[in-house]
Amino acid sequence: MAQFVACGEPILISTHIAFIRYLNRTIESIRQDFAERFATVFGSQNNPSPCVSTRQEDDITLSSTKHLISAIRKRCHLIAQECSPNEKSFGGKKGPDAVFNVLDNILKGSLERLKMMRENISMAKINLQGCTCDYNYTEHAATIKLLCMEGKLGAAMWLRRQMVQKGFFPDVFTHNHIVNVLCKAGLVEKADWLIREMLEFGPHPNTATYNTLIKAYCIVNSVDKAFYLFSAMANTGIQPNRVTCNILVHALCGKGLFKEAKRMLEEILQDNDNDNLDLVTSTIFMDYYFKNGAIIQALSLWNAMLLKCTNLDVVAYNVLINGFCKSQQMSLAYGYACEMIKKGLPPDGFTYNILIRALCKEGKTSEACYILGVMYKMGVMPDQISYKIMIHGLCFVGNIAKAKELLSYMLSNAIIPKPLIWNIIIDFYGRCRDRSNAFFTRDQMLAFGVCPNVYTYNSLILAEVKCGNFHDACILKEEMIIKGLFPDIVTYNLLIGAACSLGRLGLALELLDEMVRRGREPDIITYTELVRGFCIRGDLKEAEELCAKILKSGLLNDHVPVQILFSTYWKRKRLVEAFNLYQEWLASLWFSSGGSYECQILQEQL
């Protein structure tokens, strides 16, 4: 259709011109023919026989002209038959009038047909353009939706901009697809800008538009902006629905504001009867009860859901099973997992991951492996989270052989592990001082196209430090910087601790200065390593000053630095200094805890 519109207009115009040309030539030929007949009728002997027209017709219009002449002759013959015998002879007085009447009728008919043809062509042109615009609009809107589903955000935004420049604004559903992709990509501010543009130029956003952006703000922990957007909905005349309520209730419960969540739900829904809570809201409240140890309230809410909600979904069962797993009631968790299957709700990947994580935390890796096998048999393929939980659990109990077996299984099935899974195994080798296997795993990681990150280098530095290769550990730090990875506080703490263990306090202080220059603030571990280094070298004055600095800064959240300096005083028989240090530590605990009853009793006993 687009091709027809593109090339049809010149063809139609050329056809009009050709038609007018041969119509004029035909009329001229008819005029000459009638003039010749008139000369014969009136007996004009002086007039020579009219010469045959010597005009040459165009090749394009020759056949059309012949058909038109034939049609005109037939028309003249029919009109002539309608005349009286005297008129047919053209000898009477009315003969010339009859001929001119025939010619006049022919010309009028031709002009009317030409006018009708032009009007039809114009209407066809307008209809074709309108159909083309509608077709292009629908096609572009469908293309934007498809690009959004494929995650091609840049192309979708470009096509939308092209449509807007031509005066065609996509509908609100197309804009909702773009807003959804922007929020999934973490471009929440860009999505907010797009909604403001919709409010200004159109189309007007609907409830789904605001719900998508509100959920995005809640995910990035910007609950204040989410509530501001919620209040802006009322100003734009959009009524919140249950989805809006559930998003905000979940965000408030995540921050521990349970009462505020219930109050807001009642205000929005204008219903103080909690029996009308839907399945999603009830599931959110039940999850809050489990996370805060209120098992009785959670079970009572579950029983109420059983009475009112006949169609419980997998998410509700997952929340219930996860609550029992966190409460270390695995028998109940297994029971409700079996109940799911009996009710025709097959467990999904989240269900199996919950059970595997709970078993691995308890050290029951054999049972966790069995659940992983059941997962395969039920047709639910393990994801990266499943393998990560399982490999971490195996490494935690020291079963590195089984962990490597799972890693090999992933690689053989074209499942490329994420860096976190590789880092778990490298960290295990580092802690076990198995430097060769740690670097072999790193090389294997590179061979499969997975780039090491900061945590990978920290695990390798730990392996070097454990093996006493401080120089190689420093080389790894420089390699990080060359590859664009900036060392974090863990990196510097490992190196500072290793330098202090070797008695190289000057190098440790240099690393501390470099750490501060790169914007990394020292933490309690950094100061603890320095205190230990000063005590090893016998610089107790520097250790005392640093420990006093720790006590005044409020960074002290454990007893390790004080214990190191206290043990050093005790070994050197400096009991007075040890007792004074202990008193200062108790005083710092007193002020940091706000004068708790336990600190008061301990100080009175001393």
Side-chain angles (χ1 to χ4, degrees), residues 197-210:
E197 187 176 283
M198 292 172 65
L199 289 171
E200 185 175 358
F201 301 104
H204 199 271
N206 56 14
T207 308
T209 314
Y210 279 100

Side-chain angles (χ1 to χ4, degrees), residues 356-394:
I356 292 172
R357 180 183 288 108
L359 292 171
C360 288
K361 283 185 177 180
E362 295 181 0
K364 300 177 181 179
T365 55
S366 58
E367 296 183 18
C369 290
Y370 172 77
I371 296 296
L372 190 66
V374 173
M375 191 175 180
Y376 278 110
K377 294 178 182 178
M378 294 296 292
V380 181
M381 294 303 297
D383 54 4
Q384 295 273 353
I385 298 176
S386 308
Y387 288 112
K388 188 263 293 182
I389 296 171
M390 196 71 247
I391 291 175
H392 184 270
L394 291 170

Side-chain angles (χ1 to χ4, degrees), residues 395-442:
C395 291
F396 182 77
V397 298
N399 193 354
I400 188 63
K402 186 68 176 178
K404 290 285 289 186
E405 183 180 342
L406 276 178
L407 180 64
S408 300
Y409 179 82
M410 292 178 67
L411 296 175
S412 61
N413 286 274
I415 303 174
I416 306 300
K418 292 185 178 180
L420 179 59
I421 298 177
W422 296 95
N423 294 340
I424 292 172
I425 298 177
I426 295 173
D427 183 72
F428 175 83
Y429 283 130
R431 295 182 185 277
C432 295
R433 301 183 180 182
D434 193 347
R435 179 182 176 276
S436 60
N437 277 322
F439 279 90
F440 173 77
T441 307
R442 192 276 305 267

